[in-house]
Amino acid sequence: MNDFPTRRRVLAGMGILGLGALAGCGDSNTLSFKYGKDLSNEILGRTFRLKDPQGNEKTLSSFRGMMPMVFFGFTQCPAVCPTTLARAVQAKKLMGRDGDRLQVIFITLDPERDTPEVLDAYVKLFDPTFVALRGTLEQTAEVAKEFKVFYEKVPVGDTYTISHTSTSYVYDSRGVLRLGLSHSLTAQECAEDLLTVMEVC
Amino acid sequence: MKPVATLKALRQSTFLAVALSLSGYAMAQTTVEDAWARATVPGQPATGAFMTLTADSDSTLLSVQSPAAKDTQIHQSTMKGDVMSMLPVDEVSLPAGEPVVFDANGYHVMLMGLVKQVKEGDAVPLTLKIKNAQGEEETLEVNAVARALNAPDHAHAH
């Protein structure tokens, strides 16, 4: 299971390279990930302001010190949303104690049908530490735009489904966007790249 | 000699029994394996059902119905770039002998307007209408057993 380098070993490696003198965060502008996409030079999702199911307003800085992983979806999504959340649970476990710093944030693209109650029950069933965020229709559109997330309501019978970007966006603990994880990656692959983010900050 | 003859007769009758039972199943040309549905949280109005279908002749899945939902449709997940879409399809081809997997990444049954919460272990009845190459229709009754909402998708576990 644990065939990826431990945090300590990678930090030691950084010391050899002369980068490890900093007690806090590394200053590298780019990162090399084995599976995900390096988003270090992208500025996305810096100013979102949405409510959690308890009505508390949350911004990116609410999660400072944690490694936020943001994912967009809707609870009526039968496939990609539950599998992405289940994958996040597995990746968190694979990361061992470092997994405690992973903060999964599920932003609904369907605030009309995803009531705070349904959203809360939904994400908490995967992991009690997962957070769901919800805005008005206008706020949702703004946040999606800020993340360059595509989403579109598609009418189906007398209801609708939503096509949407399935990438998970990962920030380091200072709130710098670092990594994009595609839906096709396994939990193991995600865990390895998430640990790489943690080495930086 | 006599015991051999008896044995032969026994064999023949066994063969006959098998042949009879086969003819009895002649209409059941599609097998359904591993049918399951994803459980929901209270108030969640829709969920998906998954299975593996194998037809013994080139067939077509025409529809899926369920009393568990107001509207049951066959959807297909497709990925364009990093955008996942889940859209209805009219029918699904079931090529002879080829297992067709219904999972998160491909075809799945969408149960929309659930009449009640689907709890883990619940049996969700599905009625599948299938047409074979000769144009004969068969109806299959399947119980999709609900797995936990957070159950991993089997096909996705590489």
Side-chain angles (χ1 to χ4, degrees):
Chain A
M1 279 265 168
N2 277 323
D3 54 356
F4 39 78
T6 63
R7 184 175 166 74
R8 188 165 300 158
R9 215 183 305 154
V10 173
L11 281 174
M14 286 169 72
I16 290 161
L17 291 168
L19 299 169
L22 301 162
C25 303
D27 275 336
S28 61
N29 290 325
T30 56
L31 289 174
S32 84
F33 294 110
K34 274 165 88 177
Y35 309 100
K37 195 174 165 192
D38 180 23
L39 299 177
S40 299
N41 291 319
E42 298 260 359
I43 296 172
L44 302 175
R46 298 297 286 276
T47 61
F48 72 79
R49 188 174 291 273
L50 297 166
K51 282 186 175 163
D52 71 11
Q54 287 70 41
N56 307 306
E57 204 159 73
K58 296 283 181 185
T59 64
L60 192 56
S61 59
S62 308
F63 305 102
R64 191 150 291 203
M66 300 292 281
M67 178 169 62
M69 179 161 79
V70 177
F71 171 71
F72 291 81
F74 62 115
T75 68
Q76 294 201 37
C77 159
V80 57
C81 306
T83 52
T84 301
L85 286 168
R87 183 184 71 177
V89 173
Q90 274 178 283
K92 192 178 160 178
K93 278 192 194 128
L94 288 168
M95 290 166 72
R97 280 186 57 198
D98 286 334
D100 294 345
R101 280 176 60 202
L102 178 68
Q103 176 61 63
V104 175
I105 300 168
F106 181 83
I107 298 179
T108 179
L109 292 169
D110 193 9
E112 287 167 283
R113 296 186 299 193
D114 284 345
T115 62
E117 294 73 32
V118 169
L119 265 179
D120 202 37
Y122 187 84
V123 298
K124 296 269 187 290
L125 195 137
F126 286 89
D127 186 308
T129 70
F130 287 6
V131 170
L133 296 180
R134 179 176 176 271
T136 61
L137 279 174
E138 293 72 29
Q139 286 170 326
T140 304
E142 268 170 44
V143 172
K145 197 174 160 197
E146 213 191 322
F147 274 90
K148 292 189 192 160
V149 159
F150 170 86
Y151 74 112
E152 167 182 68
K153 261 192 201 181
V154 183
V156 175
D158 58 1
T159 175
Y160 60 89
T161 176
I162 297 174
S163 299
H164 64 94
T165 302
S166 58
T167 302
S168 300
Y169 301 88
V170 183
Y171 294 80
D172 69 23
S173 59
R174 287 175 303 182
V176 177
L177 180 64
R178 289 297 188 176
L179 167 67
L181 292 169
S182 102
H183 172 63
S184 58
L185 300 177
T186 65
Q188 177 74 40
E189 290 164 346
C190 292
E192 286 187 47
D193 279 354
L194 287 166
L195 286 171
T196 303
V197 175
M198 293 195 79
E199 306 315 336
V200 190
C201 200
Chain B
M1 287 313 255
K2 194 133 194 204
V4 175
T6 313
L7 196 62
K8 202 174 173 187
L10 195 70
R11 273 204 199 121
Q12 267 170 357
S13 64
T14 310
F15 176 73
L16 196 67
V18 170
L20 275 174
S21 70
L22 279 177
S23 73
Y25 280 99
M27 285 303 290
Q29 291 160 326
T30 305
T31 55
V32 181
E33 284 168 289
D34 204 23
W36 67 283
R38 200 178 278 284
T40 62
V41 295
Q44 186 187 334
T47 195
F50 312 90
M51 67 193 85
T52 300
L53 290 172
T54 312
D56 69 358
S57 74
D58 288 337
S59 304
T60 309
L61 175 65
L62 300 174
S63 70
V64 181
Q65 297 297 320
S66 177
K70 283 186 206 118
D71 193 2
T72 304
Q73 300 185 354
I74 306 164
H75 283 199
Q76 186 180 24
S77 300
T78 50
M79 195 71 119
K80 254 190 212 146
D82 63 349
V83 175
M84 176 68 93
S85 296
M86 289 145 287
L87 302 176
V89 292
D90 290 335
E91 51 183 43
V92 178
S93 295
L94 306 172
E98 236 176 75
V100 176
V101 179
F102 278 51
D103 68 11
N105 301 306
Y107 294 115
H108 52 269
V109 177
M110 258 316 267
L111 299 155
M112 297 178 300
L114 292 170
V115 296
K116 61 177 177 133
Q117 184 191 358
V118 178
K119 290 184 181 158
E120 194 177 344
D122 283 357
V124 178
L126 302 174
T127 305
L128 281 59
K129 203 169 267 178
I130 295 164
K131 189 171 76 179
N132 67 15
Q134 286 74 47
E136 295 162 351
E137 281 188 19
E138 67 170 311
T139 302
L140 283 179
E141 304 287 343
V142 178
N143 271 328
V145 179
R147 293 183 194 163
L149 171 61
N150 57 0
D153 186 62
H154 277 208
H156 201 67
H158 296 239

